[in-house]
Amino acid sequence: MAEEDIYTKDGTTDYRNNPAIKLETGTWKACPYILGNECCERLAYYGINTNLVNYLKFQMNENNVVAVTNVTNWSGTCYVTPLLGAFLADAYMGRYWTIATFSIIYVFGMTLLTLSASVHGLKPFCDEKNVCHSTGIQTGFFYLGLYLIALGTGGIKPCVSSFGADQFDDSDEAEKKNKSSFFNWFYFSINIGALVASTVLVWIQTNVAWGWGFGIPAVAMAVAVVSFFSGTRLYRNQRPGGSPLTRIGQVLVASFRKIGVQVPQNKSLLYETADEKSAVQGSRKLDHTKQFGFFDKAAVETQSDRVKGSIDAWRLCTVTQVEELKSIIRLLPIWATGIIFSAVYSQMGTLFVLQGNTMDLNMGKSFEIPSASLSLFDTISVIFWVPVYDRLIVPLARKYTGNKNGFTQLQRIAIGLVISIFAMLTAGTLEMTRLRIVREQNSYDAKHMNMSIFWQVPQYFIIGCAEVFTFIGQLEFFYEQAPDAMRSLCSALALTTAALGNYLSTFLVNIVTDISTREGDPGWIPDNLNYGHLHYFFWLLAVLSVLNLGAYLLVAKWYTYKRALGPPTDHTMA
């Protein structure tokens, strides 16, 4: 084998041209380090997110609406910053170096957050009645650490699932079959971290000290970095393909420049490179599709497209470039229908916790369970349903559908959307029952009412089941349907539904609070929920979820799957 067949131009090793290296890298051999990184990083994230609303309420002395707003705004930002990380990964840095760089920023943010909760002068002052207040400097230092974490997660979240999937070769049927299972076990590892966060860490934050409760997640994030670097020699890395935004811009500009040009009936006349490989580095060629035919104008060759014998990329684009843009446009309606689901999911870290605060927290005679720890039942649900789905539901569904994965990705997402409706109906029914008991016992001003917090378990468990179908389905769908050189960007696009879901929740909370308190009434979500109507908010989300499901079924029926041509994408070994 010639040397140029073993090494790429940048000095990395192309494993496809070296069977020995292919055997030594990628597949499940590399995945433990990636899954370990994700498990520890999610432990760190949920170690902050799960109980943050209580920290803001009791340590920073924020009222219910402000605390809920700040939590959802921060959570939303954590899912917007992946757009930045994804762009850098796809365009310039590659997924490996993006994850590595932003992980270090994440650790720095965790360190600042820990200092803000443990160092005298930086942590809030509490009086003898345990009522706490923070100064402007203390608040600023706390939020600086919090939003550095949001920036750090922006480089990890869009890349790590795609990076794990990159370890499986699409041209190898045995490896390709394992890729779908990888997404299931990837989400499983997320919830192992979340399980520790919602049990051990929440208990430490509530009963020991917030400094320890934030310090342990900081250490977990450091372990995540070590785990990731430990697998470096086993990883398969996909080369960055250049700026995807530039390529999209070129297609848009070229299309409008040729607005009067007729697209030929014979689509084989559209411009494409003669080589077997795509002109887009790290991408396979894409077959022409009929939808959005206006953009085909960008691939119609005219005399003005060449400058001194060279093609002007802002006048003439390949079919693959045009299809990249079409793929993104086709994803957008599916993407939009994930926003309502994410708004439902975000209630676990906000209103479910505040609802639980009003209930009987006793577990036995001497132990009180923190209300935020109930999210462990969401985690247990995911941990239960992932292997059940992978080992039982998929083989059973395969017999009836003929699909190798049991369900198509779009069918899987739809099932989760249906289940999420029942989560909100269950939460609303529980709140109605809780308020009825409050009225009967006239316990409006009691700190805890006579109803066990464990009545919340069903709503958490149902949301966990919905996650296994919808969130994992979205992960796989956006990876598979993304153009090869835009996979990090499309993973980030999927994550922005979580951001917009959090922002939507913030918007709805503020709107219903403003409307329901205009005549001096306590409103739907007062500081004392015993005087409120929290169930109305859950009903509202249930109605929106039904409408969203109808919209999803329409756009899913319309969706056209991507068709890739030619050899698979270029992969290298670091």
Side-chain angles (χ1 to χ4, degrees):
M1 182 180 295
E3 185 173 342
E4 60 267 26
D5 293 329
I6 302 176
Y7 297 99
T8 59
K9 292 179 181 179
D10 59 358
T12 56
T13 309
D14 188 341
Y15 72 84
R16 285 199 179 88
N17 293 327
N18 192 324
I21 290 177
K22 181 176 180 178
L23 288 173
E24 294 172 1
T25 61
T27 66
W28 292 111
K29 293 186 292 294
C31 288
Y33 301 98
I34 299 170
L35 296 178
N37 168 270
E38 181 65 7
C39 180
C40 291
E41 186 274 327
R42 288 291 89 184
L43 186 153
Y45 173 81
Y46 286 113
I48 304 303
N49 183 71
T50 303
N51 209 18
L52 183 59
V53 69
N54 280 333
Y55 184 84
L56 296 179
K57 181 175 181 178
F58 298 113
Q59 298 297 306
M60 307 290 285
N61 201 27
E62 297 179 356
N63 65 44
N64 277 353
V65 171
V66 173
V68 167
T69 297
N70 283 332
V71 171
T72 51
N73 284 344
W74 175 72
S75 297
T77 303
C78 287
Y79 289 97
V80 166
T81 53
L83 289 171
L84 171 63
F87 173 77
L88 293 174
D90 282 341
Y92 306 112
M93 298 173 65
R95 288 190 258 279
Y96 175 86
W97 285 110
T98 303
I99 294 170
T101 302
F102 281 78
S103 291
I104 294 169
I105 296 173
Y106 201 131
V107 171
F108 185 59
M110 291 295 303
T111 302
L112 293 185
L113 196 71
T114 302
L115 293 175
S116 75
S118 56
V119 175
H120 182 72
L122 292 177
K123 66 179 182 179
F125 301 105
C126 299
D127 59 26
E128 63 278 0
K129 295 181 179 179
N130 206 31
V131 176
C132 302
H133 300 276
S134 61
T135 65
I137 293 176
Q138 290 168 342
T139 301
F141 194 85
F142 169 80
Y143 279 105
L144 174 62
L146 201 62
Y147 278 87
L148 277 175
I149 293 170
L151 177 60
T153 198
I156 298 172
K157 285 302 292 178
C159 298
V160 70
S161 61
S162 297
F163 188 66
D166 287 345
Q167 307 309 308
F168 299 92
D169 186 352
D170 279 339
S171 66
D172 186 316
E173 284 301 320
E175 290 191 18
K176 188 176 181 181
K177 186 177 179 181
N178 285 323
K179 185 183 290 186
S180 183
S181 286
F182 166 78
F183 285 107
N184 290 329
W185 294 106
F186 175 80
Y187 206 76
F188 183 88
S189 68
I190 289 175
N191 283 274
I192 292 295
L195 177 64
V196 177
S198 61
T199 52
V200 177
L201 291 181
V202 169
W203 187 87
I204 290 173
Q205 290 165 354
T206 305
N207 296 286
V208 180
W210 284 98
W212 282 102
F214 288 161
I216 293 172
V219 172
M221 190 57 217
V223 172
V225 175
V226 172
S227 173
F228 182 73
F229 281 120
S230 296
T232 297
R233 297 185 65 181
L234 297 174
Y235 297 147
R236 296 170 179 174
N237 297 318
Q238 182 175 317
R239 299 188 195 94
S243 172
L245 299 183
T246 299
R247 295 196 302 277
I248 289 173
Q250 288 170 341
V251 174
L252 292 172
V253 170
S255 299
F256 282 99
R257 276 181 167 176
K258 298 177 180 177
I259 196 166
V261 173
Q262 188 73 27
V263 178
Q265 292 292 323
N266 184 357
K267 303 310 180 203
S268 65
L269 297 177
L270 297 176
Y271 175 71
E272 183 57 276
T273 56
D275 297 336
E276 188 179 8
K277 287 188 176 182
S278 168
V280 179
Q281 188 176 20
S283 177
R284 291 169 289 184
K285 287 183 176 180
L286 295 175
D287 195 12
H288 177 267
T289 57
K290 294 181 180 179
Q291 290 176 316
F292 311 114
F294 171 80
F295 297 111
D296 290 338
K297 294 177 183 291
V300 177
E301 193 166 1
T302 63
Q303 291 182 346
S304 60
D305 292 337
R306 296 181 184 271
V307 180
K308 295 181 180 179
S310 299
I311 291 174
D312 183 349
W314 293 90
R315 288 184 176 274
L316 181 63
C317 304
T318 64
V319 170
T320 294
Q321 275 184 266
V322 173
E323 290 302 319
E324 281 187 329
L325 175 59
K326 290 183 181 182
S327 294
I328 298 297
I329 294 173
R330 279 193 291 266
L331 287 173
L332 290 178
I334 302 294
W335 164 82
T337 56
I339 296 171
I340 298 293
F341 181 86
S342 293
V344 169
Y345 177 80
S346 72
Q347 303 315 307
M348 287 197 302
T350 53
L351 294 181
F352 281 14
V353 175
L354 295 178
Q355 182 188 47
N357 285 342
T358 68
M359 304 175 77
D360 183 1
L361 306 179
N362 288 312
M363 186 177 176
K365 293 183 178 180
S366 59
F367 181 77
E368 278 195 358
I369 183 169
S371 59
S373 286
L374 264 289
S375 63
L376 78 92
F377 289 100
D378 164 74
T379 304
I380 290 172
S381 176
V382 172
I383 292 172
F384 170 78
W385 283 108
V386 163
V388 168
Y389 182 87
D390 201 52
R391 303 302 181 190
L392 295 178
I393 295 177
V394 168
L396 184 63
R398 190 182 291 140
K399 294 179 180 179
Y400 293 96
T401 65
N403 187 291
K404 64 180 180 180
N405 294 325
F407 300 106
T408 66
Q409 294 142 4
L410 291 174
Q411 289 170 340
R412 182 174 184 173
I413 293 169
I415 293 170
L417 294 180
V418 172
I419 295 171
S420 70
I421 297 169
F422 290 97
M424 287 298 95
L425 293 176
T426 302
T429 302
L430 174 66
E431 182 64 11
M432 286 184 64
T433 304
R434 192 190 70 79
L435 290 176
R436 178 177 57 79
I437 294 174
V438 168
R439 288 195 300 271
E440 290 174 353
Q441 299 180 352
N442 195 27
S443 55
Y444 287 97
D445 296 316
K447 184 177 180 181
H448 301 292
M449 48 91 66
N450 188 25
M451 184 180 193
S452 173
I453 192 173
F454 288 100
W455 283 104
Q456 282 192 311
V457 170
Q459 63 205 52
Y460 281 101
F461 199 83
I462 294 170
I463 285 186
C465 181
E467 283 181 68
V468 169
F469 285 91
T470 294
F471 276 156
I472 301 178
Q474 285 177 340
L475 274 176
E476 187 176 0
F477 177 75
F478 277 84
Y479 179 86
E480 289 292 337
Q481 294 305 306
D484 293 334
M486 294 186 181
R487 279 176 165 164
S488 293
L489 187 65
C490 288
S491 292
L493 188 65
L495 292 171
T496 58
T497 62
L500 294 175
N502 277 282
Y503 294 147
L504 175 62
S505 179
T506 298
F507 174 76
L508 291 175
V509 165
N510 283 279
I511 286 295
V512 300
T513 298
D514 181 58
I515 294 174
S516 62
T517 58
R518 282 181 179 174
E519 298 180 3
D521 294 330
W524 288 11
I525 314 172
D527 285 342
N528 185 342
L529 292 179
N530 293 336
Y531 290 99
H533 299 282
L534 182 58
H535 54 293
Y536 290 171
F537 190 78
F538 294 141
W539 296 148
L540 173 63
L541 285 177
V543 171
L544 291 175
S545 296
V546 171
L547 296 175
N548 183 62
L549 175 63
Y552 174 84
L553 294 176
L554 289 176
V555 298
K557 184 178 181 180
W558 166 83
Y559 187 79
T560 300
Y561 283 89
K562 172 188 89 173
R563 296 197 299 268
L565 301 172
T569 56
D570 295 329
H571 286 66
T572 63
M573 172 186 157

